Amino acid sequence: MGSLKIKNSALAHVTPESVGVKSEVLADFIRELNEKQLGVHSFTVVRHDKVCAQCFWAPYGPDSPHTLYSVSKSFTSTAVGFAVDEGLIGLDDPVYTYFPECNKYFVGSRIRNVYNRSLTVRMLLTMRSGKMISSAEGKNGKNWIKDFFKASFMMPPDTKFKYCSENTFILSALIKRVTGKSTVDYLDEKMFRPLDIEKPFWQTDGEGNNAGGWGLYMKSEDLAKFFLPYLHGGKYKGEQLIPAAWVEQATAKQTETVRDGVLDNMCGYGFQFWRNPMPNSFRAEGLFGQRCVMFPEYDALVVLNSGRSKDYDIMEVFWKYFPQCFEHDAFPENETAYRDLLDTAAACQMEDLPAAPRNAGFEQYLGSKTLHAKTTSRTSVMPVAVSMWSYEKCGKISDMQFDFDEKGVQFTWRECDGVHTLFAGMNGDFGISEVAHGREKYHTYAKAAWTDGNRLQLWIRFIETAHVKKLTFVFSDNSVRILNMSDPKFEELPVFYLVFSGVDVRRFGEKVIEGAVRDVGMLFLEPDFSAKLKNRKESLLELSRL
């Protein structure tokens, strides 16, 4: 099962009316997202196995993979389903038996020894391991399996639901142990190639184990294709791809979750799938507003990619329109409404940095200087998805240079992992570049503009991620202060995590919490830093080309 090749696997594109959806309702959905400035990057609506609506906020587009964060978990679950079906894994198997080399990490704590030995595959799938470990701590080591088994327990295993992305990483590592293939290679055989999906990039630890719970990048429509079998008992266009028994188990309620926070998170959890507030509906969900929401009774699904910390704001709008917009019968074609939908979608774009008058004299001066800084590992031009959740570390910006021309500026900088460069447009157009970090490659859409005299803004959108980096260089004599910001705003993440964990933040006040985070400079905040202007002794741009 899963090794066949689906003929004509591409999804047809049709009008909404032909599959029982009104174009004006979808246009209203887009308008409300724009009015509330919720940071949505794209969505794809599929009904009766046909794409009836898509919208991409420029510069995002259909051909760019997007980070999925914890939507990745549902992919790992699918891989586990195949392995269970093949008899390679049992749901109640003790996990430690697949990692005998880790027995040495059980010593020193009798309770940790007992708890590690009692962990089962089912407990990992349902987030009931009780482990006290977080991907937000940063993946500094190469061996994440060791890190998992050495981690302490917050409670005995199988006590209650406690979300932990490392549970899914261990499932991914387990797939490699029993199949001899990484999770992405295993799914390439079982799902990607049969569906004619190019094998996606998936982050790994230093041992080649895919992250499992995060780190997967996919295009919007490919994401829809992957999850379509979950609407049809595992079938895609009549061909059985995913074992039907696994689809039923994985999407059913296997455990209670939280009792407060937002309703979406209070409806139960399956095997790495969330249950939705309405019956017989479920979703794959990731940080910053990544979703694939599935409605089997309506034969429909919706993919969302976004960049918002408090992503429940997006879902509040989403539930106003879905699944209510799905009617049972097709509508007569409405050319006027359909054209309005297309025009509304085509006009969508992300917040942008407008062009401003150039500062020719100071640009020439900067062309002879290097900005030299001493910074920490938290200080990076790269997005937080790279700097925090990858074992290949960046950070510690040390030198920066600007080289201006009539179209914009070449910004080149040195971090601990090497020299990088990108072009930022200053005439209204994006500068488009490729920036590599280890095995990972990102495309940047960047603009720069002078504001308030000797203040240079540089906005860098890493198009495959949920993030835009906003650097402001404030020049004064022979020094510069760099204001280091990002969207999504990381001071909002603790509020999100409290809500996600079932805490009613209204009792404390969201703004009070965000202010406290800014004041104490918690882990998620990226620090501002300073640099000295020194005469240029070497060209970083030339070094970046070596």
Side-chain angles (χ1 to χ4, degrees), residues 36 331 498:
K36 295 184 175 178
F331 295 109
L498 287 171

Side-chain angles (χ1 to χ4, degrees), residues 486-544:
S486 287
D487 272 334
K489 295 179 174 62
F490 296 111
E491 62 261 33
E492 295 176 349
L493 268 183
V495 172
F496 165 81
Y497 277 117
L498 287 171
V499 173
F500 184 79
S501 302
V503 176
D504 184 359
V505 298
R506 291 171 295 184
R507 290 178 293 175
F508 307 98
E510 291 187 13
K511 296 301 180 184
V512 172
I513 297 171
E514 291 169 18
V517 173
R518 282 192 300 270
D519 291 343
V520 301
M522 281 183 64
L523 176 68
F524 294 113
L525 288 177
E526 299 169 301
D528 297 340
F529 59 103
S530 297
K532 295 289 187 182
L533 272 65
K534 297 186 176 182
N535 291 328
R536 188 177 296 192
K537 295 181 179 179
E538 62 180 354
S539 170
L540 294 180
L541 181 57
E542 292 299 323
L543 290 176
S544 72

Side-chain angles (χ1 to χ4, degrees), residues 411-453:
F411 174 61
T412 309
W413 74 99
R414 179 183 278 124
E415 293 195 32
C416 66
D417 65 330
V419 179
H420 307 273
T421 189
L422 61 85
F423 188 77
M426 300 182 73
N427 60 356
D429 297 327
F430 284 108
I432 303 173
S433 309
E434 182 177 277
V435 177
H437 168 63
R439 298 184 308 112
E440 303 165 21
K441 293 183 179 180
Y442 298 90
H443 294 88
T444 60
Y445 283 64
K447 290 186 178 182
W450 290 101
T451 60
D452 301 327

Side-chain angles (χ1 to χ4, degrees), residues 325-478:
C325 68
F326 299 125
E327 300 288 348
H328 290 292
D329 300 317
F331 295 109
E333 296 296 341
N334 187 333
E335 186 174 344
T336 301
Y338 182 54
R339 174 49 54 188
D340 178 62
L341 170 62
L342 295 179
D343 291 343
T344 302
C348 289
Q349 61 182 19
M350 301 303 298
E351 180 190 16
D352 204 357
L353 182 62
R358 301 288 292 268
N359 189 340
F362 202 68
E363 289 177 7
Q364 183 177 4
Y365 171 73
L366 283 179
S368 65
K369 299 296 181 181
T370 294
L371 282 62
H372 181 70
K374 293 183 178 180
T375 65
T376 70
S377 60
R378 294 291 179 200
T379 311
S380 176
V381 175
M382 306 298 284
V384 70
V386 176
S387 61
M388 187 178 296
W389 282 293
S390 172
Y391 87 92
E392 296 179 290
K393 291 301 160 192
C394 50
K396 296 185 179 179
I397 297 173
S398 57
D399 295 300
M400 296 162 282
Q401 291 178 355
F402 296 97
D403 293 284
F404 295 87
D405 64 23
E406 67 278 3
K407 293 182 179 180
V409 59
Q410 194 76 36
F411 174 61
T412 309
W413 74 99
R414 179 183 278 124
E415 293 195 32
C416 66
D417 65 330
V419 179
H420 307 273
T421 189
L422 61 85
F423 188 77
M426 300 182 73
N427 60 356
D429 297 327
F430 284 108
I432 303 173
S433 309
E434 182 177 277
V435 177
H437 168 63
R439 298 184 308 112
E440 303 165 21
K441 293 183 179 180
Y442 298 90
H443 294 88
T444 60
Y445 283 64
K447 290 186 178 182
W450 290 101
T451 60
D452 301 327
N454 291 344
R455 180 184 289 249
L456 180 65
Q457 287 189 294
L458 175 61
W459 287 15
I460 309 166
R461 189 172 294 278
F462 293 81
I463 205 69
E464 291 89 358
T465 79
H467 308 282
V468 55
K469 176 74 75 168
K470 297 180 177 180
L471 300 172
T472 302
F473 297 82
V474 184
F475 295 94
S476 176
D477 296 326
N478 291 320

Side-chain angles (χ1 to χ4, degrees), residues 191-255:
M191 292 290 289
F192 299 138
R193 274 185 278 161
L195 293 173
D196 197 26
I197 296 173
E198 182 181 357
K199 186 172 74 172
F201 175 77
W202 201 336
Q203 289 176 311
T204 70
D205 70 354
E207 307 294 329
N209 298 293
N210 290 124
W214 67 94
L216 182 60
Y217 294 74
M218 287 193 73
K219 301 173 186 177
S220 180
E221 196 163 321
D222 286 346
L223 189 61
K225 288 172 67 175
F226 185 93
F227 284 117
L228 264 180
Y230 279 96
L231 297 181
H232 308 306
K235 292 182 178 180
Y236 188 92
K237 295 190 175 183
E239 299 283 358
Q240 192 76 42
L241 267 184
I242 306 170
W246 187 257
V247 172
E248 183 177 353
Q249 290 182 83
T251 61
K253 181 178 177 179
Q254 299 287 348
T255 182

Side-chain angles (χ1 to χ4, degrees), residues 69-80 99 121 123-129 131 133 144 148 162-176 183 202 209-214 269 271-273 285:
Y69 284 101
S70 288
V71 170
S72 309
K73 292 178 171 66
S74 301
F75 284 77
T76 302
S77 171
T78 305
V80 172
F99 305 98
V121 172
M123 292 175 198
L124 299 183
L125 285 165
T126 55
M127 296 294 179
R128 295 174 66 89
S129 73
K131 274 286 185 178
I133 183 173
W144 298 350
F148 178 84
K162 176 64 174 67
Y163 196 82
C164 174
S165 290
E166 277 64 22
N167 292 338
T168 319
F169 165 71
I170 291 297
L171 290 171
S172 178
L174 196 158
I175 290 294
K176 190 177 181 186
T183 303
W202 201 336
N209 298 293
N210 290 124
W214 67 94
Y269 195 73
F271 291 161
Q272 310 280 292
F273 286 85
E285 174 176 318

